[in-house]
Amino acid sequence: MARRDVRYLIVLAGGSGTRMGGPVPKQFMMLGGKPVLRRTIDRFREFDEDFRIILVLPPDKRRMWLDYCDSSNYLIGPYVAVPGGMTRFHSVRNALKYVAPGALVAVHDGVRPFPPLEMLERIFSLSEKHPAVCPAIKVSDTLRRLEMNSDGLYCSGNIDRSGVYMIQTPQVFHSEILLDAYRLPYSEAYTDDASVVEDYGCRVLYTEGSKSNIKLTTPDDMSIAESRLLISG
């Protein structure tokens, strides 16, 4: 079987979403009448309905998700639900228990519901030859380093933005690379999977991400997402 014929999708939805300030974690908040998590899953299933899906959920919200699926008759086929860990690193490690070598595995934020299909096609196509592929978008805003003084924040220096990128998901890997990399001991420097893989010694190929591939973190992000749905119909 060719590597590209087996694709795992790890959807990270194990966070508490405190910055959103809602009554439920942001991945379960309604976006155009559907939970954000459902919209994220549906986007990937639109791209490839044969993903072997692994959902990372907060341990105390697993029943909420199952009840939603039952009450709305939401069927996504066979999937595995695993509990989120203490950090993102530990959550991914929990999910990797259900991943086999010799496949492709994508790790995606559950609150990024709009990855463009063209971007997904490009990332997975590159992944057939490259063991680690990650989307990124170039920073366009002016960057400054600020320090707090007794009467407020002041600039302590400018940051050269050339070569500075914002990292997105999905990040896609040859599964054996990710499995081996996640045997490393945890480090606070591991803010995403690419950082773990690079520390393991594997080069990551970075490819163009998308500004529409937004991560829903604040109420303003939800408003932007709602507007996007209205425009797209």
Side-chain angles (χ1 to χ4, degrees):
M1 179 179 290
R3 178 186 298 277
R4 64 183 177 273
D5 290 337
V6 179
R7 292 174 172 175
Y8 291 91
L9 172 63
I10 297 173
V11 182
L12 296 173
S16 60
T18 54
R19 280 180 287 179
M20 191 66 76
V24 297
K26 55 195 174 185
Q27 60 270 34
F28 301 115
M29 293 180 70
M30 289 296 174
L31 176 60
K34 298 177 182 178
V36 170
L37 179 56
R38 175 173 178 170
R39 290 198 174 274
T40 301
I41 294 169
D42 286 348
R43 176 54 61 96
F44 278 87
R45 293 184 70 233
E46 181 181 357
F47 172 68
D48 183 353
E49 63 181 11
D50 293 325
F51 275 114
R52 300 183 183 183
I53 299 174
I54 305 169
L55 297 184
V56 180
L57 301 172
D60 62 340
K61 296 296 187 292
R62 184 174 184 272
R63 174 47 55 187
M64 175 191 293
W65 172 252
L66 294 177
D67 288 345
Y68 167 78
C69 292
D70 288 342
S71 63
S72 62
N73 196 31
Y74 180 48
L75 303 175
I76 61 175
Y79 71 94
V80 177
V82 302
M86 181 173 52
T87 67
R88 187 185 193 282
F89 176 91
H90 295 94
S91 292
V92 174
R93 180 181 276 176
N94 287 348
L96 287 174
K97 297 174 184 176
Y98 300 91
V99 171
L104 291 178
V105 54
V107 186
H108 188 66
D109 299 319
V111 290
R112 289 188 190 269
F114 303 125
L117 297 180
E118 176 277 329
M119 186 187 80
L120 296 180
E121 179 62 45
R122 174 164 31 87
I123 292 172
F124 276 94
S125 179
L126 289 169
S127 295
E128 294 178 18
K129 294 184 178 179
H130 298 274
V133 181
C134 176
I137 57 174
K138 191 172 179 58
V139 170
S140 58
D141 294 334
T142 297
L143 301 176
R144 289 195 174 94
R145 184 174 290 105
L146 304 181
E147 292 183 356
M148 177 65 75
N149 290 335
S150 59
D151 59 342
L153 280 171
Y154 291 90
C155 177
S156 63
N158 292 323
I159 298 174
D160 182 4
R161 68 188 180 197
S162 61
V164 178
Y165 287 74
M166 293 185 292
I167 304 304
Q168 298 184 331
T169 65
Q171 299 177 13
V172 182
F173 307 89
H174 293 186
S175 58
E176 61 272 16
I177 295 293
L178 203 59
L179 288 165
D180 287 345
Y182 268 86
R183 293 190 177 98
L184 293 171
Y186 169 69
S187 167
E188 291 184 356
Y190 296 155
T191 55
D192 67 351
D193 308 286
S195 59
V196 181
V197 166
E198 286 171 330
D199 197 35
Y200 170 69
C202 177
R203 293 182 70 192
V204 174
L205 175 69
Y206 290 88
T207 186
E208 185 178 358
S210 172
K211 289 185 178 180
S212 66
N213 186 26
I214 59 174
K215 185 176 182 180
L216 307 184
T217 304
T218 68
D220 285 345
D221 296 330
M222 288 294 290
S223 296
I224 293 171
E226 292 281 3
S227 298
R228 179 184 172 86
L229 287 178
L230 289 175
I231 293 172
S232 63

